[in-house]
Amino acid sequence: MKAKLINKIKIMDDIWSFEFTTENKMDYIAGQFIELTIEKSDSPNQKTFKRWFTLSSSPAENKLAITTRISPENQSDFKRELSNLHNNQNFDISQAMGDFVLTRDLSAKLTFIAFGIGVTPFRSIINQLSETNTIREINLIYISKSNGILPFEELFKNYLKNNIYTYSSIKKLENSTLFNDVLESKYIYIAGAEEKVMNFRNKLVLSKVEEDSIICDYFPGY
């Protein structure tokens, strides 16, 4: 599917959002991901760069968006090409896919755990809930070694109120009283760097959390 960049926004520090539109409206569910393809036409070998991204936009919005880290010191070839995109430039995206989506059980107590940039699918989900005035019982836990400032903080605070918790490491969460609430959640959604998500998922299973109640979004390359 052809897409066109309409805006690049610096969210904070090295986190950027890339907003785009498509010729035909894309149907998707908040929390799903796409594959983004950039053709480097000025290359002698016409290189193609591809990468998977969870959408940070929600179906309630009139544009699509991805959000990622762009580090000037350590950029992959893909991130370099992504950074160099200019407004109105075309690229390709796949249809949205994935099952990192909310359960239909409206009474279920939910915990969202975001490792760093893993906060992006939760931005999509919370925006959709907010725009549709849908009330869900959710705790959002943000794990980050940085200054602890939560990306999209205003959106999250407007919807979740005081149900937002930040920790500098997963170990600090495990040693907190909140960890018992995590274990008692009916569904636990975890997103972020692949290794961190996998390790924490395994710890939850060892803590007797049912595997079917753990939903993961693994971000490769972080």
Side-chain angles (χ1 to χ4, degrees):
M1 180 184 298
K2 291 295 181 184
K4 180 172 68 175
L5 185 71
I6 58 173
N7 206 8
K8 288 190 283 190
I9 303 171
K10 185 174 183 178
I11 303 301
M12 54 178 283
D13 298 333
D14 58 353
I15 299 177
W16 289 78
S17 282
F18 295 79
E19 299 179 340
F20 50 95
T21 59
T22 54
E23 290 182 350
N24 301 311
K25 180 176 173 59
M26 187 175 74
D27 293 325
Y28 68 102
I29 304 171
Q32 290 189 309
F33 63 89
I34 59 168
E35 183 179 49
L36 192 152
T37 303
I38 302 174
E39 297 279 357
K40 189 174 181 181
S41 58
D42 60 349
S43 167
N45 299 319
Q46 188 107 7
K47 288 187 177 179
T48 299
F49 299 90
K50 296 184 177 183
R51 188 158 176 179
W52 300 103
F53 286 97
T54 298
L55 290 165
S56 56
S57 56
S58 81
E61 297 173 289
N62 60 6
K63 60 182 178 295
L64 300 170
I66 61 168
T67 302
T68 188
R69 290 191 183 279
I70 303 289
S71 173
E73 296 81 21
N74 185 24
Q75 283 190 23
S76 65
D77 289 342
F78 181 92
K79 290 288 183 73
R80 190 173 298 108
E81 293 302 315
L82 183 64
S83 298
N84 290 335
L85 286 178
H86 54 77
N87 282 2
N88 297 318
Q89 184 170 344
N90 293 320
F91 51 91
D92 292 311
I93 63 170
S94 69
Q95 292 289 342
M97 60 195 87
D99 55 7
F100 195 79
V101 299
L102 279 187
T103 171
R104 295 183 180 180
D105 182 356
L106 296 178
S107 65
K109 179 181 178 181
L110 311 175
T111 293
F112 291 172
I113 299 176
F115 288 94
I117 199 62
V119 75
T120 56
F122 300 127
R123 191 272 171 197
S124 175
I125 292 169
I126 295 299
N127 182 268
Q128 182 70 9
L129 293 174
S130 179
E131 291 292 331
T132 56
N133 295 313
T134 305
I135 304 301
R136 303 295 295 263
E137 184 181 358
I138 300 170
N139 281 341
L140 171 63
I141 300 171
Y142 180 57
I143 311 294
S144 174
K145 290 181 180 179
S146 62
N147 53 19
I149 298 176
L150 177 63
F152 311 111
E153 186 172 33
E154 183 177 355
L155 169 68
F156 289 130
K157 283 189 173 181
N158 285 342
Y159 184 85
L160 297 169
K161 308 304 180 189
N162 296 319
N163 295 332
I164 301 172
Y165 307 88
T166 60
Y167 293 92
S168 59
S169 70
I170 197 64
K171 182 62 67 177
K172 290 190 175 181
L173 168 61
E174 293 169 358
N175 291 333
S176 72
T177 56
L178 183 64
F179 190 59
N180 288 330
D181 288 343
V182 174
L183 299 179
E184 292 171 2
S185 298
K186 189 166 184 179
Y187 294 99
I188 304 168
Y189 290 76
I190 315 170
E194 187 171 11
E195 183 177 4
K196 291 179 180 179
V197 172
M198 180 64 75
N199 288 342
F200 189 59
R201 179 192 178 280
N202 292 340
K203 288 182 180 180
L204 292 176
V205 172
L206 290 174
S207 298
K208 309 302 181 184
V209 175
E210 293 186 12
E211 293 189 47
D212 289 346
S213 69
I214 308 171
I215 302 95
C216 297
D217 192 1
Y218 305 96
F219 286 32
Y222 284 95

